[in-house]
Amino acid sequence: MTEAIVEPEVLEPIIARYNGDPGNLLQILIEAQNALDWLSPGTQGFIAKSLDIPVTHVAAVVQFYTHLYDTPRGKYRVLFSHNITDRMAGSPTLMAHMLKRLKLKRGVVSDDGLVSVGKTSCTGMCDQGPALLVNNRAITRLTLRRIDEICDLIRARAPLANWPAHYFRVEDNIERADMLLGSAYAPGEALRAAIACGPTGMMAEMKRSNLRGRGGAGFTTAVKWEACRDAPGDERYIVCNADEGEPGTFKDRVLLQSFAERVFEGMAIAGYCTGARKGLIYLRGEYTYLRAPLEAKLSDFRRNRLLGMGICGVPGFDFDIAIHLGAGAYVCGEETALIESLEGKPGRPRIRPPFPVTCGYKNQPTVVNNVETLCKVTEVAIHGGLAYAGTGTRQSAGTKIISVSGDVERPGLYEYPFGVRVSQVLEDAGAYDAIAVQISGAAGQCLTPQEFGRRIAFEDVPTSGSFMVFGNNRDLFEAALNYAHFFEHESCGFCTPCRVGTALIARILEKIHSGHGARYEFNELNRLHQLISTSSHCGLGTTATNALHDIMTKFPTVFDRRLIRRDFEPGFDLDAALARAREVAGRDDANAHLDAHLGEGVDA
């Protein structure tokens, strides 16, 4: 394809809007692609020259993020969610139907340059799937009829703004509410309560609350804040991690859609306690549709003096928030990778120490908190630390929001005090024949029915917030294969154990799936699990094989019925692969086949 013409009149205003700051490179690239459909070498060169940075750096960023394209992908870029729950709901059939209607192959742009159709890891719409993205806009509750309608709109070249509004409707699906989801809330209430305590007093309330991070690691929030406050630095930053990329998790989507004021106030209170004056929300690219309403709410907050200079009329209490978009990289959920991405770089995790609380964004002290954690801060401010700590368990204070999807009658959000049993969640969601529950997404653990009596708490079953439920008609091997492809795709490539190990696991599982597996492959999977989980650079690698190992050990029959070969069998048929060469050479005699004279060499 010929090189696209560089359009300075399009690019210059975008670059100017970001003050020509190389730290905003990712945001500039996202906007440039939205305007031009793809990022041609010429476009990348123009941006590099304008920002006075090497074009190789621009290219590295473009190539790192899944939703940035250095080759044309069409005016309409359709991506079906490849998450296991979407697949269970029928997304492969729907995708095949669209490809047939549009006369396309997956990943190939149509001859007229209009459309391409591919897959993406997870859209965060697991409670209302199957789902897809069109130019990063989510469409939920897909059916064959809706696919036909979408194909007709694409062929008619209808702008997305003219598509039926109900296509893009995203429901909250709150099925059980408690302290956070079920309480009345007045904007500014938490901020005024924190101001009444003062920065030191509010920090003391945070300590009394024993609030722990809701992103999965469970680090005590007050300890993180104190470390940031006390670290030397010219500036401090509060970062909201809204890169909710874990398959099966969608709680942060709902909080940002319907409870954003709590997120903003939680960030401002964190700034009040630590001395930070600026906050950043890192919003995953799949949630781009939330940006405009979030910006509108931020403007309301500034107008009402809940953000900006002199918040609530308090001199010196200055704090404001900016939104940065991601572009399709699961690894950016790791806090140091997220910071790298905020700085306009490929989102590869940093070596730690130093930790972000002492050396984070722009090498300054930085707090990175999860969306749900920041909402919980407002509860502590309003009700006090001791009252907050009175809910839940001794080591797990407060409530937990759980995203439930899969084989359940009522998928959606469920909020419980910590300590709730897994069986209670399943009963409430209508999961009456569950054979397994995947906790905390692909990186979490898989529970058997014998474990459904366990409790959701940091001291028993910790969770970042998702239940993917599998009924008695499901094959858990398919889930394991899906997770393997997910981690192979999402590995940032920085370290060898993860980069090579996840690819090897995917190939081995594909071999078993094709009927060529033996006990050798099973043992090799165990060996790779030990290697990857103990040698990888960051949390993505160390948790990449958790679910696979659980399925192998807790559900052995899933593999036993597939390991039908007694001895090792090559997964690649070299003789068959040479069939085309024999055809071209006009050779089909015995000596042209690899197994003609074993032990005597091969005449080919």
Side-chain angles (χ1 to χ4, degrees), residues 447-489:
L447 302 184
T448 68
Q450 291 71 37
E451 298 174 284
F452 291 173
R454 295 177 65 183
R455 297 183 182 273
I456 298 301
F458 291 108
E459 61 268 34
D460 189 0
V461 180
T463 175
S464 61
S466 79
F467 274 40
M468 293 192 288
V469 182
F470 298 91
N472 58 18
N473 63 328
R474 299 298 179 186
D475 183 352
L476 290 179
F477 184 89
E478 296 294 335
L481 181 60
N482 180 265
Y483 301 153
H485 285 146
F486 171 77
F487 282 111
E488 178 190 20
H489 178 264

Side-chain angles (χ1 to χ4, degrees), residues 19-34:
N19 301 314
D21 180 4
N24 287 315
L25 174 60
L26 178 57
Q27 308 310 301
I28 292 169
L29 290 170
I30 290 170
E31 288 204 23
Q33 180 171 281
N34 289 341

Side-chain angles (χ1 to χ4, degrees), residues 126-154:
C126 311
D127 56 328
Q128 45 207 296
L132 58 73
L133 300 175
V134 180
N135 298 355
N136 272 27
R137 290 287 306 277
I139 298 179
T140 62
R141 305 185 190 283
L142 296 172
T143 61
L144 288 172
R145 178 178 177 178
R146 182 163 291 187
I147 293 295
D148 285 336
E149 293 170 354
I150 292 171
C151 290
D152 292 340
L153 288 165
I154 290 173

Side-chain angles (χ1 to χ4, degrees), residues 341-388:
S341 187
L342 281 174
E343 294 178 350
K345 306 171 188 173
R348 293 190 177 92
R350 296 176 177 177
I351 295 172
R352 298 184 293 181
F355 295 93
V357 288
T358 60
C359 188
Y361 180 62
K362 296 184 177 180
N363 294 322
Q364 298 296 314
T366 303
V367 167
V368 181
N369 281 147
N370 172 264
V371 173
E372 185 182 358
T373 309
L374 291 163
C375 288
K376 292 294 179 183
V377 169
T378 64
E379 295 178 5
V380 176
I382 294 168
H383 303 295
L386 290 178
Y388 183 86

Side-chain angles (χ1 to χ4, degrees), residues 63-64 329 331 337 346-349 486-503 536-538 540-541:
Q63 291 164 16
F64 182 84
V331 71
R348 293 190 177 92
F486 171 77
F487 282 111
E488 178 190 20
H489 178 264
E490 296 295 343
S491 174
C492 76
F494 176 82
C495 71
T496 302
C498 179
R499 181 184 68 252
V500 177
T502 54
S536 294
H537 171 61
C538 79
L540 186 152

Side-chain angles (χ1 to χ4, degrees), residues 60 73 100 176 216 259 465 522 552 577:
R73 298 293 180 93
K100 184 177 180 180
R176 187 186 191 280
F259 300 82
F522 188 85
M552 290 172 64

Side-chain angles (χ1 to χ4, degrees), residues 38 77 94 100 200 202 252 295 316 318 325 354 487 508 562 577 581:
W38 67 293
R77 300 173 293 279
L94 295 170
K100 184 177 180 180
T200 303
M202 185 61 210
D252 293 352
E295 294 283 12
D318 307 332
L325 283 176
F487 282 111
I508 291 172
R562 283 183 165 83

